Amino acid sequence: MDKDRKLEHIQLAFDSKTGISEQDPRFIYEPLLAAHPDGKTPDFPFLGKRMKAPVWVSSMTGGTGVAKTINRNIAGACREFGLGMGLGSCRKILFDKTHWEDFDVRDEIGPDAPLWANLGVAQVEQLLYEKKEQAIVDLVGELRADGLIVHVNPFQEYFQPEGDLISQPPLETIQELLAKINVPLIVKEVGQGMGRESLKQLLQLPLAAIEFGAYGGTNFSRLELMRDDPRNREIFEPFAFVGQTARQMVNDINSLLDETKPVCGQLIISGGLKTYLDGYYLVSLSRLPAVYGMASSVLKHATGDYETLKTYIENQLKAYRLAQTYLRLNPDYER
Protein backbone atom coordinates (compact mmCIF):
# COMPACT_ATOMS: atom_id res chain seq x y z
CA MET A 1 0.00 0.00 0.00
CA ASP A 2 2.82 2.39 0.87
CA LYS A 3 4.49 1.54 -2.45
CA ASP A 4 1.27 2.35 -4.33
CA ARG A 5 1.01 5.68 -2.51
CA LYS A 6 4.55 6.63 -3.47
CA LEU A 7 3.92 5.74 -7.12
CA GLU A 8 0.78 7.87 -7.00
CA HIS A 9 2.80 10.78 -5.56
CA ILE A 10 5.31 10.50 -8.42
CA GLN A 11 2.57 10.79 -11.03
CA LEU A 12 0.75 13.57 -9.19
CA ALA A 13 4.00 15.51 -8.81
CA PHE A 14 4.08 15.98 -12.56
CA ASP A 15 0.41 17.03 -12.66
CA SER A 16 0.50 19.45 -9.73
CA LYS A 17 3.11 21.94 -10.86
CA THR A 18 2.18 25.59 -10.53
CA GLY A 19 3.53 28.56 -12.42
CA ILE A 20 4.63 31.97 -11.18
CA SER A 21 1.74 33.54 -13.08
CA GLU A 22 -0.70 31.54 -10.92
CA GLN A 23 0.62 32.86 -7.61
CA ASP A 24 -1.87 34.78 -5.47
CA PRO A 25 0.10 37.95 -4.62
CA ARG A 26 -2.30 39.14 -1.92
CA PHE A 27 -0.90 36.87 0.77
CA ILE A 28 2.29 35.87 2.52
CA TYR A 29 2.30 32.21 3.52
CA GLU A 30 3.67 31.61 7.02
CA PRO A 31 3.88 27.82 7.56
CA LEU A 32 5.89 27.78 10.82
CA LEU A 33 3.81 29.87 13.16
CA ALA A 34 0.74 27.78 13.98
CA ALA A 35 -0.65 24.27 14.29
CA HIS A 36 -3.52 23.13 12.13
CA PRO A 37 -6.82 24.79 13.10
CA ASP A 38 -8.92 22.55 15.34
CA GLY A 39 -12.24 23.90 14.13
CA LYS A 40 -12.92 25.67 17.42
CA THR A 41 -13.29 29.39 16.82
CA PRO A 42 -14.60 31.99 19.25
CA ASP A 43 -17.88 33.65 18.36
CA PHE A 44 -17.98 37.40 17.86
CA PRO A 45 -20.61 40.16 17.99
CA PHE A 46 -22.21 41.37 14.78
CA LEU A 47 -25.51 43.20 14.29
CA GLY A 48 -26.42 42.67 17.91
CA LYS A 49 -26.11 38.89 17.72
CA ARG A 50 -23.25 36.37 18.01
CA MET A 51 -21.72 34.79 14.91
CA LYS A 52 -19.28 31.88 14.72
CA ALA A 53 -17.90 32.62 11.25
CA PRO A 54 -17.69 35.87 9.25
CA VAL A 55 -20.06 34.67 6.54
CA TRP A 56 -23.34 36.26 5.51
CA VAL A 57 -25.72 34.52 3.14
CA SER A 58 -26.81 37.46 1.02
CA SER A 59 -30.38 38.08 -0.08
CA MET A 60 -31.35 36.20 -3.24
CA THR A 61 -34.68 34.35 -3.27
CA GLY A 62 -37.91 36.32 -3.17
CA GLY A 63 -40.90 34.04 -3.52
CA THR A 64 -40.16 31.52 -6.24
CA GLY A 65 -41.66 28.05 -6.19
CA VAL A 66 -38.62 26.58 -4.42
CA ALA A 67 -38.06 29.53 -2.06
CA LYS A 68 -39.43 27.63 0.93
CA THR A 69 -36.91 24.80 0.53
CA ILE A 70 -34.04 27.17 -0.20
CA ASN A 71 -34.73 29.51 2.72
CA ARG A 72 -35.22 26.69 5.19
CA ASN A 73 -32.03 24.95 4.10
CA ILE A 74 -30.05 28.19 4.37
CA ALA A 75 -31.60 29.07 7.73
CA GLY A 76 -30.73 25.63 9.08
CA ALA A 77 -27.13 25.98 7.92
CA CYS A 78 -26.86 29.45 9.44
CA ARG A 79 -28.05 28.04 12.74
CA GLU A 80 -25.66 25.09 12.64
CA PHE A 81 -22.58 27.10 11.65
CA GLY A 82 -23.34 30.46 13.25
CA LEU A 83 -23.79 32.54 10.09
CA GLY A 84 -26.03 35.52 9.24
CA MET A 85 -28.87 35.55 6.72
CA GLY A 86 -30.66 38.18 4.68
CA LEU A 87 -33.99 37.17 3.14
CA GLY A 88 -34.82 37.93 -0.46
CA SER A 89 -37.29 40.69 -1.26
CA CYS A 90 -40.28 40.46 1.08
CA ARG A 91 -42.48 42.69 -1.07
CA LYS A 92 -44.72 39.74 -1.93
CA ILE A 93 -45.76 39.21 1.70
CA LEU A 94 -46.24 42.83 2.78
CA PHE A 95 -50.03 42.70 2.37
CA ASP A 96 -50.64 39.12 1.24
CA LYS A 97 -49.71 36.11 3.41
CA THR A 98 -50.07 33.51 0.62
CA HIS A 99 -46.30 32.93 0.48
CA TRP A 100 -45.60 33.71 4.14
CA GLU A 101 -44.17 30.26 4.89
CA ASP A 102 -41.47 30.80 2.26
CA PHE A 103 -39.97 33.56 4.42
CA ASP A 104 -40.94 32.60 7.99
CA VAL A 105 -37.69 30.87 9.00
CA ARG A 106 -36.94 32.19 12.50
CA ASP A 107 -37.64 28.78 14.03
CA GLU A 108 -35.17 27.17 11.61
CA ILE A 109 -32.39 29.72 12.10
CA GLY A 110 -32.92 29.95 15.84
CA PRO A 111 -32.93 32.96 18.15
CA ASP A 112 -29.19 33.66 18.15
CA ALA A 113 -28.31 34.08 14.45
CA PRO A 114 -28.92 37.35 12.56
CA LEU A 115 -31.99 37.23 10.30
CA TRP A 116 -32.98 40.29 8.26
CA ALA A 117 -36.02 41.10 6.13
CA ASN A 118 -35.60 42.88 2.79
CA LEU A 119 -37.46 45.49 0.71
CA GLY A 120 -36.49 47.57 -2.30
CA VAL A 121 -36.06 51.32 -1.96
CA ALA A 122 -38.83 51.92 -4.53
CA GLN A 123 -41.31 50.01 -2.35
CA VAL A 124 -40.11 51.86 0.75
CA GLU A 125 -40.54 55.19 -1.02
CA GLN A 126 -44.12 54.27 -2.00
CA LEU A 127 -45.01 53.09 1.49
CA LEU A 128 -43.72 56.32 2.98
CA TYR A 129 -45.66 58.35 0.41
CA GLU A 130 -48.85 56.46 1.30
CA LYS A 131 -48.09 56.79 5.03
CA LYS A 132 -47.99 53.00 5.37
CA GLU A 133 -44.61 52.72 7.08
CA GLN A 134 -46.26 50.71 9.87
CA ALA A 135 -46.49 47.86 7.35
CA ILE A 136 -42.68 47.68 7.43
CA VAL A 137 -42.64 47.56 11.22
CA ASP A 138 -45.27 44.82 11.16
CA LEU A 139 -43.38 42.83 8.52
CA VAL A 140 -40.15 42.82 10.52
CA GLY A 141 -41.97 42.04 13.75
CA GLU A 142 -44.10 39.20 12.38
CA LEU A 143 -41.07 37.59 10.72
CA ARG A 144 -39.23 37.95 14.05
CA ALA A 145 -36.42 39.49 12.01
CA ASP A 146 -33.68 41.62 13.54
CA GLY A 147 -34.16 44.47 11.09
CA LEU A 148 -34.70 45.46 7.48
CA ILE A 149 -32.35 45.46 4.52
CA VAL A 150 -33.22 48.20 2.02
CA HIS A 151 -31.81 47.31 -1.37
CA VAL A 152 -31.03 50.35 -3.50
CA ASN A 153 -31.36 49.45 -7.17
CA PRO A 154 -32.14 52.40 -9.47
CA PHE A 155 -30.65 50.73 -12.56
CA GLN A 156 -32.48 47.47 -11.94
CA GLU A 157 -35.83 49.20 -11.44
CA TYR A 158 -35.31 51.33 -14.55
CA PHE A 159 -34.43 48.35 -16.76
CA GLN A 160 -37.01 45.97 -15.31
CA PRO A 161 -39.99 45.78 -17.69
CA GLU A 162 -42.39 45.93 -14.72
CA GLY A 163 -40.10 48.03 -12.51
CA ASP A 164 -41.08 51.01 -10.35
CA LEU A 165 -39.62 54.43 -11.06
CA ILE A 166 -37.91 56.09 -8.11
CA SER A 167 -39.21 59.62 -7.54
CA GLN A 168 -36.62 60.96 -5.09
CA PRO A 169 -32.97 60.26 -4.28
CA PRO A 170 -32.73 56.96 -2.36
CA LEU A 171 -30.67 58.74 0.31
CA GLU A 172 -33.68 60.92 1.14
CA THR A 173 -35.95 57.86 1.37
CA ILE A 174 -33.54 56.15 3.74
CA GLN A 175 -33.25 59.27 5.90
CA GLU A 176 -37.04 59.59 6.04
CA LEU A 177 -37.44 55.93 6.96
CA LEU A 178 -34.90 56.25 9.77
CA ALA A 179 -36.84 59.22 11.13
CA LYS A 180 -40.23 57.48 11.03
CA ILE A 181 -39.63 53.93 12.26
CA ASN A 182 -37.59 52.39 15.04
CA VAL A 183 -36.29 49.39 13.08
CA PRO A 184 -32.57 48.68 12.49
CA LEU A 185 -31.60 49.16 8.84
CA ILE A 186 -28.98 47.81 6.46
CA VAL A 187 -28.57 49.42 3.05
CA LYS A 188 -27.20 47.46 0.11
CA GLU A 189 -26.82 47.64 -3.66
CA VAL A 190 -27.69 44.72 -5.92
CA GLY A 191 -24.64 44.02 -8.06
CA GLN A 192 -22.96 47.26 -9.04
CA GLY A 193 -21.72 48.54 -5.72
CA MET A 194 -21.55 52.17 -4.63
CA GLY A 195 -19.16 55.04 -5.21
CA ARG A 196 -17.22 56.98 -2.64
CA GLU A 197 -19.76 59.79 -2.17
CA SER A 198 -22.65 57.37 -1.64
CA LEU A 199 -20.58 55.44 0.90
CA LYS A 200 -19.63 58.67 2.66
CA GLN A 201 -23.29 59.61 3.04
CA LEU A 202 -24.26 56.16 4.33
CA LEU A 203 -21.44 56.12 6.88
CA GLN A 204 -22.97 59.22 8.45
CA LEU A 205 -26.36 57.58 8.99
CA PRO A 206 -27.31 55.47 12.04
CA LEU A 207 -27.45 52.27 10.03
CA ALA A 208 -26.73 48.85 11.48
CA ALA A 209 -24.47 48.05 8.52
CA ILE A 210 -23.74 48.69 4.86
CA GLU A 211 -23.84 45.74 2.49
CA PHE A 212 -21.88 46.24 -0.71
CA GLY A 213 -23.62 44.22 -3.42
CA ALA A 214 -20.53 45.12 -5.41
CA TYR A 215 -19.75 44.79 -9.10
CA GLY A 216 -18.42 41.46 -10.29
CA GLY A 217 -21.04 38.97 -9.12
CA THR A 218 -24.73 38.55 -9.89
CA ASN A 219 -25.76 41.77 -11.64
CA PHE A 220 -29.50 42.36 -11.38
CA SER A 221 -29.42 45.28 -13.82
CA ARG A 222 -28.03 42.99 -16.50
CA LEU A 223 -30.47 40.26 -15.48
CA GLU A 224 -33.41 42.59 -16.10
CA LEU A 225 -31.97 43.73 -19.43
CA MET A 226 -31.81 40.10 -20.50
CA ARG A 227 -35.57 39.93 -19.91
CA ASP A 228 -36.27 43.11 -21.87
CA ASP A 229 -36.96 43.86 -25.50
CA PRO A 230 -33.73 43.21 -27.49
CA ARG A 231 -33.82 46.78 -28.82
CA ASN A 232 -33.78 48.21 -25.29
CA ARG A 233 -31.06 45.76 -24.29
CA GLU A 234 -28.81 46.97 -27.10
CA ILE A 235 -29.21 50.59 -26.00
CA PHE A 236 -28.87 50.19 -22.24
CA GLU A 237 -26.53 47.20 -21.81
CA PRO A 238 -23.37 49.34 -21.37
CA PHE A 239 -24.78 50.45 -18.00
CA ALA A 240 -24.48 46.84 -16.79
CA PHE A 241 -20.70 47.09 -16.95
CA VAL A 242 -20.20 50.05 -14.63
CA GLY A 243 -19.89 49.95 -10.87
CA GLN A 244 -17.46 49.54 -8.01
CA THR A 245 -15.82 46.26 -6.99
CA ALA A 246 -15.74 45.08 -3.39
CA ARG A 247 -12.04 45.89 -3.14
CA GLN A 248 -12.60 49.42 -4.44
CA MET A 249 -15.35 49.90 -1.86
CA VAL A 250 -13.22 48.63 1.02
CA ASN A 251 -10.44 50.99 -0.07
CA ASP A 252 -12.89 53.91 -0.30
CA ILE A 253 -14.31 53.27 3.17
CA ASN A 254 -10.85 52.81 4.69
CA SER A 255 -9.78 56.16 3.28
CA LEU A 256 -13.02 57.84 4.39
CA LEU A 257 -12.25 56.80 7.97
CA ASP A 258 -9.29 59.18 7.86
CA GLU A 259 -11.64 62.05 7.00
CA THR A 260 -14.61 61.44 9.26
CA LYS A 261 -15.77 59.34 12.18
CA PRO A 262 -18.52 57.00 10.95
CA VAL A 263 -21.87 56.56 12.64
CA CYS A 264 -22.43 53.28 10.83
CA GLY A 265 -19.61 50.94 11.81
CA GLN A 266 -20.19 47.47 10.32
CA LEU A 267 -19.90 46.07 6.79
CA ILE A 268 -21.16 43.10 4.81
CA ILE A 269 -18.71 42.73 1.93
CA SER A 270 -20.61 41.07 -0.90
CA GLY A 271 -20.52 41.01 -4.68
CA GLY A 272 -17.91 39.42 -6.92
CA LEU A 273 -16.26 37.28 -4.24
CA LYS A 274 -15.36 34.05 -6.00
CA THR A 275 -13.74 32.09 -3.16
CA TYR A 276 -13.22 32.10 0.60
CA LEU A 277 -9.77 33.65 -0.06
CA ASP A 278 -11.50 36.73 -1.51
CA GLY A 279 -13.61 36.91 1.62
CA TYR A 280 -10.64 36.46 3.93
CA TYR A 281 -8.61 39.07 2.06
CA LEU A 282 -11.30 41.76 2.11
CA VAL A 283 -12.43 41.15 5.70
CA SER A 284 -8.77 41.39 6.77
CA LEU A 285 -8.27 44.54 4.70
CA SER A 286 -11.31 46.34 6.14
CA ARG A 287 -10.72 48.76 8.99
CA LEU A 288 -14.34 48.39 10.07
CA PRO A 289 -15.73 45.14 11.50
CA ALA A 290 -16.87 43.10 8.51
CA VAL A 291 -18.22 39.78 7.35
CA TYR A 292 -18.37 38.64 3.75
CA GLY A 293 -21.38 37.65 1.70
CA MET A 294 -22.05 34.46 -0.23
CA ALA A 295 -25.11 34.28 -2.45
CA SER A 296 -25.18 32.42 -5.78
CA SER A 297 -22.75 29.71 -4.68
CA VAL A 298 -24.87 28.92 -1.62
CA LEU A 299 -28.08 29.14 -3.65
CA LYS A 300 -26.76 26.50 -6.04
CA HIS A 301 -26.29 24.04 -3.17
CA ALA A 302 -29.49 24.95 -1.28
CA THR A 303 -32.09 23.81 -3.80
CA GLY A 304 -31.98 20.12 -2.87
CA ASP A 305 -31.32 18.16 0.30
CA TYR A 306 -29.85 19.83 3.39
CA GLU A 307 -26.79 17.57 3.57
CA THR A 308 -25.52 18.89 0.23
CA LEU A 309 -25.61 22.46 1.52
CA LYS A 310 -24.18 21.46 4.90
CA THR A 311 -21.16 19.76 3.30
CA TYR A 312 -20.51 22.74 1.03
CA ILE A 313 -20.59 25.30 3.85
CA GLU A 314 -18.61 23.07 6.19
CA ASN A 315 -15.80 22.81 3.62
CA GLN A 316 -15.90 26.55 2.94
CA LEU A 317 -15.44 27.29 6.63
CA LYS A 318 -12.62 24.77 7.00
CA ALA A 319 -10.81 26.47 4.12
CA TYR A 320 -11.43 29.94 5.58
CA ARG A 321 -9.97 28.90 8.94
CA LEU A 322 -6.95 27.42 7.20
CA ALA A 323 -6.40 30.78 5.50
CA GLN A 324 -6.74 32.58 8.84
CA THR A 325 -4.10 30.31 10.33
CA TYR A 326 -1.38 30.48 7.68
CA LEU A 327 -1.92 33.53 5.47
CA ARG A 328 -1.07 37.16 6.20
CA LEU A 329 -1.77 40.17 4.00
CA ASN A 330 1.12 41.06 1.73
CA PRO A 331 1.99 44.72 2.52
CA ASP A 332 3.66 45.12 -0.87
CA TYR A 333 0.59 44.06 -2.83
CA GLU A 334 -0.86 46.89 -4.90
CA ARG A 335 -4.28 47.56 -3.45
Side-chain angles (χ1 to χ4, degrees):
M1 185 68 70
D2 190 57
K3 181 180 178 182
D4 291 341
R5 181 174 60 85
K6 290 183 182 299
L7 287 173
E8 182 184 25
H9 277 185
I10 291 172
Q11 181 56 50
L12 291 175
F14 290 109
D15 299 334
S16 62
K17 290 184 177 180
T18 55
I20 297 298
S21 63
E22 299 172 294
Q23 180 195 35
D24 191 332
R26 297 174 295 181
F27 304 109
I28 294 174
Y29 169 49
E30 298 287 4
L32 301 181
L33 309 181
H36 280 147
D38 59 10
K40 299 176 182 177
T41 54
D43 58 6
F44 61 94
F46 195 77
L47 295 174
K49 294 291 180 79
R50 306 293 299 185
M51 294 178 64
K52 297 177 183 176
V55 177
W56 183 270
V57 184
S58 299
S59 314
M60 286 286 286
T61 59
T64 65
V66 294
K68 183 176 179 179
T69 297
I70 291 170
N71 283 336
R72 273 165 168 66
N73 279 343
I74 291 173
C78 288
R79 179 175 193 156
E80 182 167 356
F81 296 106
L83 316 181
M85 178 180 180
L87 293 166
S89 175
C90 299
R91 178 181 185 179
K92 181 171 287 192
I93 58 171
L94 258 175
F95 300 108
D96 182 349
K97 296 298 191 285
T98 303
H99 297 279
W100 184 262
E101 289 189 355
D102 293 354
F103 298 84
D104 186 18
V105 296
R106 175 52 84 183
D107 290 338
E108 284 74 18
I109 199 171
D112 301 322
L115 173 69
W116 286 64
N118 181 351
L119 288 172
V121 72
Q123 288 80 60
V124 172
E125 179 187 277
Q126 185 65 27
L127 289 167
L128 290 172
Y129 176 77
E130 295 174 356
K131 302 187 184 306
K132 294 180 178 178
E133 58 269 12
Q134 185 60 37
I136 299 174
V137 178
D138 294 341
L139 172 75
V140 173
E142 290 171 22
L143 285 172
R144 294 171 286 170
D146 298 304
L148 177 73
I149 298 169
V150 178
H151 62 265
V152 176
N153 56 340
F155 276 2
Q156 182 191 12
E157 292 285 7
Y158 195 89
F159 300 144
Q160 189 176 37
E162 59 275 71
D164 298 310
L165 292 183
I166 295 170
S167 300
Q168 66 181 19
L171 181 65
E172 294 180 12
T173 298
I174 295 162
Q175 290 170 326
E176 184 179 350
L177 184 64
L178 285 165
K180 288 191 174 181
I181 67 172
N182 186 26
V183 171
L185 297 184
I186 294 171
V187 174
K188 67 169 290 185
E189 228 278 332
V190 297
Q192 293 181 274
M194 292 176 265
R196 181 183 173 88
E197 188 57 36
S198 291
L199 292 171
K200 183 177 181 180
Q201 295 296 326
L202 290 181
L203 286 170
Q204 298 307 306
L205 297 180
L207 301 174
I210 299 167
E211 182 176 355
F212 286 5
Y215 181 87
T218 301
N219 185 316
F220 283 91
S221 297
R222 193 177 191 193
L223 184 152
E224 298 300 347
L225 282 168
M226 292 168 71
R227 298 176 57 236
D228 204 355
D229 186 303
R231 293 168 295 183
N232 290 338
R233 187 187 317 161
E234 182 180 1
I235 294 171
F236 292 112
E237 192 166 34
F239 282 107
F241 300 99
V242 299
Q244 274 62 50
T245 66
R247 197 178 93 182
Q248 287 173 322
M249 293 176 70
V250 169
N251 288 343
D252 281 342
I253 288 177
N254 282 348
S255 67
L256 284 167
L257 297 182
D258 293 326
E259 302 175 11
T260 182
K261 184 176 181 180
V263 178
C264 173
Q266 297 181 110
L267 306 177
I268 301 170
I269 302 171
S270 62
L273 281 67
K274 307 302 183 188
T275 74
Y276 48 84
L277 286 183
D278 296 333
Y280 173 62
Y281 172 70
L282 292 170
V283 166
S284 301
L285 188 63
S286 174
R287 291 170 58 185
L288 288 179
V291 299
Y292 72 97
M294 300 168 63
S296 57
S297 61
V298 172
L299 185 65
K300 183 171 66 174
H301 292 84
T303 56
D305 63 282
Y306 176 73
E307 288 302 314
T308 299
L309 177 64
K310 175 182 175 178
T311 299
Y312 173 75
I313 291 180
E314 192 170 36
N315 286 332
Q316 290 288 312
L317 297 182
K318 284 180 180 178
Y320 186 91
R321 286 163 182 149
L322 198 63
Q324 280 183 309
T325 303
Y326 292 110
L327 303 184
R328 306 290 183 267
L329 296 192
N330 180 1
D332 296 325
Y333 178 62
E334 181 60 47
R335 296 172 184 168

mmCIF file of all heavy atoms in Angstrom, residues 47 63 70 85 163 174 195 200 256 280:
data_model
loop_
_atom_site.group_PDB
_atom_site.id
_atom_site.type_symbol
_atom_site.label_atom_id
_atom_site.label_comp_id
_atom_site.label_asym_id
_atom_site.label_seq_id
_atom_site.Cartn_x
_atom_site.Cartn_y
_atom_site.Cartn_z
ATOM 1 N N LEU A 47 -24.103 42.829 14.420
ATOM 2 C CA LEU A 47 -25.508 43.205 14.291
ATOM 3 C C LEU A 47 -26.327 42.820 15.525
ATOM 4 O O LEU A 47 -27.479 42.404 15.422
ATOM 5 C CB LEU A 47 -26.120 42.569 13.035
ATOM 6 C CG LEU A 47 -25.536 43.054 11.703
ATOM 7 C CD1 LEU A 47 -26.110 42.252 10.553
ATOM 8 C CD2 LEU A 47 -25.810 44.529 11.501
ATOM 9 N N GLY A 63 -39.540 34.523 -3.318
ATOM 10 C CA GLY A 63 -40.899 34.044 -3.517
ATOM 11 C C GLY A 63 -41.069 33.165 -4.733
ATOM 12 O O GLY A 63 -42.140 33.118 -5.328
ATOM 13 N N ILE A 70 -35.309 26.454 -0.215
ATOM 14 C CA ILE A 70 -34.038 27.174 -0.197
ATOM 15 C C ILE A 70 -33.853 27.921 1.122
ATOM 16 O O ILE A 70 -32.819 27.806 1.791
ATOM 17 C CB ILE A 70 -33.957 28.150 -1.386
ATOM 18 C CG1 ILE A 70 -33.834 27.372 -2.696
ATOM 19 C CG2 ILE A 70 -32.780 29.110 -1.227
ATOM 20 C CD1 ILE A 70 -33.995 28.230 -3.932
ATOM 21 N N MET A 85 -28.039 35.762 7.904
ATOM 22 C CA MET A 85 -28.874 35.555 6.715
ATOM 23 C C MET A 85 -29.730 36.775 6.423
ATOM 24 O O MET A 85 -30.373 37.331 7.318
ATOM 25 C CB MET A 85 -29.776 34.337 6.935
ATOM 26 C CG MET A 85 -30.727 34.028 5.784
ATOM 27 S SD MET A 85 -31.748 32.567 6.153
ATOM 28 C CE MET A 85 -32.732 32.485 4.640
ATOM 29 N N GLY A 163 -40.719 47.340 -13.631
ATOM 30 C CA GLY A 163 -40.101 48.032 -12.512
ATOM 31 C C GLY A 163 -40.821 49.303 -12.104
ATOM 32 O O GLY A 163 -41.655 49.840 -12.842
ATOM 33 N N ILE A 174 -34.144 56.831 2.601
ATOM 34 C CA ILE A 174 -33.535 56.148 3.743
ATOM 35 C C ILE A 174 -33.547 57.052 4.973
ATOM 36 O O ILE A 174 -33.869 56.619 6.089
ATOM 37 C CB ILE A 174 -32.101 55.704 3.397
ATOM 38 C CG1 ILE A 174 -32.136 54.649 2.292
ATOM 39 C CG2 ILE A 174 -31.383 55.166 4.624
ATOM 40 C CD1 ILE A 174 -30.817 54.450 1.594
ATOM 41 N N GLY A 195 -20.320 54.175 -5.154
ATOM 42 C CA GLY A 195 -19.156 55.036 -5.212
ATOM 43 C C GLY A 195 -18.853 55.696 -3.881
ATOM 44 O O GLY A 195 -19.619 55.606 -2.910
ATOM 45 N N LYS A 200 -19.851 57.626 1.664
ATOM 46 C CA LYS A 200 -19.630 58.674 2.658
ATOM 47 C C LYS A 200 -20.942 59.080 3.316
ATOM 48 O O LYS A 200 -21.014 59.266 4.542
ATOM 49 C CB LYS A 200 -18.966 59.879 1.998
ATOM 50 C CG LYS A 200 -18.630 61.010 2.959
ATOM 51 C CD LYS A 200 -17.917 62.143 2.237
ATOM 52 C CE LYS A 200 -17.563 63.275 3.187
ATOM 53 N NZ LYS A 200 -16.861 64.381 2.479
ATOM 54 N N LEU A 256 -12.049 56.917 3.803
ATOM 55 C CA LEU A 256 -13.022 57.843 4.393
ATOM 56 C C LEU A 256 -12.894 57.891 5.914
ATOM 57 O O LEU A 256 -13.215 58.912 6.539
ATOM 58 C CB LEU A 256 -14.448 57.418 4.002
ATOM 59 C CG LEU A 256 -14.864 57.756 2.566
ATOM 60 C CD1 LEU A 256 -16.138 57.016 2.195
ATOM 61 C CD2 LEU A 256 -15.050 59.259 2.388
ATOM 62 N N TYR A 280 -11.667 36.285 2.900
ATOM 63 C CA TYR A 280 -10.643 36.464 3.934
ATOM 64 C C TYR A 280 -9.805 37.710 3.670
ATOM 65 O O TYR A 280 -9.524 38.494 4.584
ATOM 66 C CB TYR A 280 -9.751 35.226 3.998
ATOM 67 C CG TYR A 280 -8.561 35.380 4.918
ATOM 68 C CD1 TYR A 280 -8.737 35.593 6.282
ATOM 69 C CD2 TYR A 280 -7.265 35.340 4.419
ATOM 70 C CE1 TYR A 280 -7.644 35.745 7.132
ATOM 71 C CE2 TYR A 280 -6.169 35.487 5.263
ATOM 72 C CZ TYR A 280 -6.368 35.695 6.610
ATOM 73 O OH TYR A 280 -5.294 35.862 7.450
#
